[in-house]
Amino acid sequence: MLPAKRALRHLAALVLAVAVATVPAATAHASDAPTTGWNDYSCKPSAAHPRPVVLVHGTFGNSVDNWLSLAPYLEDRGYCVFSLDYGQLPGVPLFHGLGPIDTSAGQLSAFVDKVLTATGAAKADLVGHSQGGMMPRYYLKFLGGAAKVNALVGLAPDNHGTTLSGLTNLLPYFPGAEDLLKATTPGLADQITGSDFLTKLNEGGDTVPGVHYTVIATKYDEVATPWRSQYLTGSDVRNVLLQDLCPVDLSEHLAIGLFDRVAFHEVANALDPPHATPTTCASVFD
């Protein structure tokens, strides 16, 4: 039998391997993928879309692969679009969002400042997938982001943590497993329901004044579970279930952020409420 510590390391490696396997094959070519015009620091917001949009990738994502569909979608609609890498671990290329989430929020803060300086805009809008829809709330609440952000749109955000379809409930049966997870991939540990990070984030309320919040969830989510835990409570919150917009939409956790144009249409509505149009199954053709 393997020693306990060695066995736990194999368990952690297996969890990481399974998670990585769920990332689209395009990730392997992230360094070769074009950004097709986004992250253009000469872009100046228009009168119609006066705020730049900052895209915040999810766990195991990066600034390119997570946004190969949504970035061009927004750019084609006249937005200045930017994306960042955050939560990098030493020696782990391409797969980000694994570092401590409070540190990642500091990286987001610096990036938003960079974008606002380049574009001359007073505020930005944030659109995040998974961890990328939750992590910015720390920036808004604790790092002064509320003064610089108009709206936060979360696609399948794990706002109140995740049970990973119940898998995290098994951690107590593996002594030392949670400590190992915290030591090797703190960004994953921070997202477990009931973590110290999430307790601090959600204490005193989910939202802060002055920011418009939208959550877009799918009932087929197998990662940010239970899916209703993604919803926020507050005076300026819109919680949306994708299947209420299009009952035949089968998108799960990855698809809602990577290529679901029904979800993308609702993102566009959240970024420009005065010109919002009904989101339906036909929105895939918009």
Side-chain angles (χ1 to χ4, degrees):
M1 181 180 293
L2 289 170
K5 288 186 177 179
R6 188 177 176 191
L8 288 173
R9 290 188 183 278
H10 279 270
L11 175 63
L14 178 61
V15 171
L16 288 173
V18 171
V20 169
T22 66
V23 179
T27 302
H29 308 289
S31 60
D32 301 323
T35 56
T36 62
W38 84 87
N39 279 334
D40 175 6
Y41 287 90
S42 67
C43 186
K44 299 300 180 184
S46 66
H49 300 302
R51 293 176 300 276
V53 177
V54 174
L55 303 177
V56 191
H57 66 74
T59 309
F60 293 107
N62 60 61
S63 61
V64 175
D65 292 322
N66 217 138
W67 307 120
L68 288 172
S69 295
L70 182 56
Y73 181 95
L74 295 176
E75 188 188 11
D76 288 346
R77 283 154 180 76
Y79 289 93
C80 292
V81 181
F82 300 86
S83 61
L84 77 156
D85 287 311
Y86 71 86
Q88 302 92 330
L89 290 181
V92 182
L94 301 180
F95 303 110
H96 304 317
L98 299 173
I101 297 182
D102 55 357
T103 301
S104 295
Q107 292 177 283
L108 174 62
S109 176
F111 188 79
V112 170
D113 286 348
K114 179 181 177 181
V115 168
L116 293 181
T117 297
T119 60
K123 290 188 175 184
D125 289 325
L126 308 180
V127 178
H129 178 216
S130 192
Q131 180 190 162
M134 174 270 288
M135 176 270 280
R137 292 178 49 227
Y138 190 95
Y139 162 55
L140 299 176
K141 194 169 187 177
F142 299 111
L143 303 180
K148 303 173 184 179
V149 172
N150 169 71
L152 170 61
V153 184
L155 291 158
D158 52 345
N159 281 314
H160 298 94
T162 178
T163 66
L164 280 176
S165 297
L167 286 177
T168 60
N169 296 329
L170 299 177
L171 286 174
Y173 297 97
F174 295 89
E178 192 165 356
D179 289 339
L180 180 62
L181 199 63
K182 290 178 181 178
T184 56
T185 52
L188 293 180
D190 284 345
Q191 295 178 75
I192 295 174
T193 300
S195 71
D196 291 343
F197 172 82
L198 287 167
T199 298
K200 177 180 178 179
L201 176 63
N202 293 313
E203 189 174 17
D206 291 346
T207 64
V208 295
V211 179
H212 310 293
Y213 295 83
T214 301
V215 173
I216 305 171
T218 170
K219 68 180 181 181
Y220 299 113
D221 201 310
E222 76 285 17
V223 176
T225 58
W227 65 263
R228 288 181 180 83
S229 68
Q230 299 173 24
Y231 283 176
L232 295 172
T233 300
S235 61
D236 197 349
V237 172
R238 182 165 186 261
N239 294 311
V240 180
L241 181 63
L242 197 57
Q243 285 71 36
D244 287 341
L245 306 176
C246 177
V248 297
D249 194 316
L250 302 179
S251 288
E252 40 66 71
H253 186 78
L254 288 177
I256 193 175
L258 295 181
F259 53 77
D260 191 310
R261 290 178 69 92
V262 175
F264 292 177
H265 187 272
E266 195 62 15
V267 169
N269 281 346
L271 295 175
D272 189 10
H275 299 99
T277 58
T279 300
T280 67
C281 296
S283 297
V284 296
F285 302 110
D286 288 350

